[in-house]
Amino acid sequence: MTAYERSRVLLRFADLVEKHNDEISALESWNNGKPFEQAAKAEVPMLARLFRYYAGWADKIHGLTVPADGNYHVQTLHEPIGVAGQIIPWNFPLLMFAWKVGPALACGNTIVLKTAEQTPLTALYVGRLLLEAGLPPGVLNIVSGFGPTAGAALASHMDVDKLAFTGSTNTGKIVLELAARSNLKPVTLELGGKSPFIVCEDADIDHAVELAHFALFFNQGQCCCAGSRTFVHESVYDEFTEKAKARALNRIVGDPFKKGVEQGPQIDSEQFKKILKYIKSGVESNATLECGGERFGSKGYFIQPTVFSNVQDDMLIAQEEIFGPVQTILKFKEIDEVIRRANASKYGLAAGVFTKNIDTANTLTRALRAGTVWVNCFDVFDAAIPFGGYKMSGIGREKGIYSLSNYLQVKAVVTALKKPAWL
């Protein structure tokens, strides 16, 4: 298949995604528990957008001619890496499908994709749409299974040439070890985070409160880059905390298929119990529980939107990834202090900065050790913007032009020249 034909397949697929928006969105809500409106208005349209973006790249991937000393013609070839093994998580099944499958297909690879055992439905459905769009059978192979069995088999397989994984840091370490012990296949990892959300004294407080709420509670708090450490300057701390509490109390929790619902259930009982355990830890550590802290309703894995104030850096709720609807608000005094504290984490996935001062923004964006820093915004995921982490938040970048290198091999071809007219 030519690069242009690959591009046309991806474009047809994007059209089919838009045609079946409601069916795909409903499946994603059944899959994951996220609100139908979130899937239908944001995630499914982004799925189509991402594939159109990679369709645009498919016929623009090429090598270079390179000048060399001596009578030689040197060119580089950008070749498909081969069989790409891909393991996606349960929190954003459709978007992670796009982040991985899109660039791999644009570069001309074949794929074995393992879905999370909790959320197999939408990948299987859109995989069928890719076949309908003209993707040859056998190019994309979707496996539903558990990590210790299907995931481990994929990571350690000698015929898999590349591995991409999104999930927890602990599982990422296992994936990396299995890849190394087998055939040293290159690995891209997008892992956990404990992202700082820094509200400076000159920030628009009402705007910052709303975006801090979104940064943490979006997708039931099950987001790797969630702004889960909210650092607020001492001069506006009390005002921010009161408004953050009020916003959390007004958050609409319930049936994800009902219009206006902002928060559905957590993914499963394991995650539900884990979040409640962290909430208990926060109370026992003497953080102030401003609101929430309990199960929502009498059935289902719903948790009340929870806000803690007076949180200290040494508390578990300020150090570990909760992956749930629990906002922790910390106080700071100086910019140098908040830089040091924000960076004092094993993670480095993302950060948010809220200030009207361009010098403050420039200082923080360069000082924070994170793969993405959002200034006066949060969770902006354009198809062209690369995403990935520092430190234990991962290896490599996904999305944008940077993602293409994950699925290409560079080959140098050197040919001797006889009596060249020029060099």
Side-chain angles (χ1 to χ4, degrees), residues 6 79-84 103-111 135 139-140 161-162 404 406-409:
R6 290 201 300 273
E79 299 180 344
I81 202 166
V83 178
L105 291 181
C107 293
N109 297 279
T110 58
I111 301 166
L135 190 71
V139 172
L140 172 62
D161 302 297
K162 157 72 186 178
L404 300 176
N406 297 330
Y407 297 100
L408 294 168
Q409 285 281 21

Side-chain angles (χ1 to χ4, degrees), residues 132-259:
E132 186 178 335
L135 190 71
V139 172
L140 172 62
N141 307 276
I142 300 174
V143 177
S144 299
F146 292 90
T149 50
L154 189 59
S156 58
H157 203 289
M158 295 296 291
D159 293 327
V160 172
D161 302 297
K162 157 72 186 178
L163 199 63
F165 170 82
T166 296
S168 72
T169 295
N170 287 338
T171 305
K173 290 179 180 180
I174 296 170
V175 167
L176 191 61
E177 181 180 358
L178 291 172
R181 288 183 179 275
S182 53
N183 58 348
L184 275 178
K185 59 180 72 67
V187 180
T188 304
L189 299 173
E190 197 265 283
L191 307 175
K194 193 69 177 173
S195 300
F197 185 106
I198 300 171
V199 181
C200 299
E201 58 185 322
D202 64 337
D204 180 331
I205 296 302
D206 289 338
H207 183 51
V209 165
E210 185 60 34
L211 281 175
H213 180 87
F214 170 73
L216 188 284
F217 291 99
F218 177 63
N219 206 50
Q220 292 74 251
Q222 297 167 156
C223 187
C224 56
C225 60
S228 52
R229 289 183 295 154
T230 307
F231 289 96
V232 181
H233 191 272
E234 62 179 7
S235 65
V236 294
Y237 186 87
D238 291 342
E239 178 188 1
F240 182 96
T241 300
E242 281 303 309
K243 290 182 175 180
K245 173 184 176 180
R247 178 63 181 91
L249 287 170
N250 287 328
R251 186 169 182 80
I252 302 172
V253 184
D255 182 346
F257 285 95
K258 286 187 177 179
K259 188 174 182 179

Side-chain angles (χ1 to χ4, degrees), residues 16-89:
L16 288 169
V17 166
E18 290 182 337
K19 179 181 177 181
H20 295 280
N21 180 294
D22 287 353
E23 300 102 293
I24 298 169
S25 300
L27 273 178
E28 192 74 329
S29 290
W30 282 114
N31 227 10
N32 172 276
K34 66 181 64 195
F36 174 83
E37 289 183 338
Q38 175 185 319
K41 295 180 180 180
E43 295 182 22
V44 175
M46 180 54 72
L47 172 68
R49 175 67 182 95
L50 284 158
F51 271 90
R52 288 199 176 102
Y53 175 83
Y54 287 113
W57 271 115
D59 59 355
K60 300 171 188 66
I61 297 168
H62 55 78
L64 302 169
T65 55
V66 182
D69 295 337
N71 294 349
Y72 303 101
H73 172 77
V74 182
Q75 65 184 42
T76 61
L77 303 177
H78 290 184
E79 299 180 344
I81 202 166
V83 178
Q86 302 178 329
I87 303 173
I88 60 174

Side-chain angles (χ1 to χ4, degrees), residues 361-414:
N362 284 336
T363 296
L364 286 167
T365 54
R366 284 159 175 75
L368 293 170
R369 292 185 52 77
T372 300
V373 181
W374 288 293
V375 180
N376 297 329
C377 59
F378 207 87
D379 277 353
V380 178
F381 287 111
D382 188 90
I385 300 174
F387 186 79
Y390 285 29
K391 299 184 282 186
M392 294 181 75
S393 287
I395 300 170
R397 295 294 180 270
E398 296 190 299
K399 297 198 292 114
I401 188 173
Y402 296 92
S403 65
L404 300 176
S405 62
N406 297 330
Y407 297 100
L408 294 168
Q409 285 281 21
V410 178
K411 178 184 288 182
V413 180
V414 184

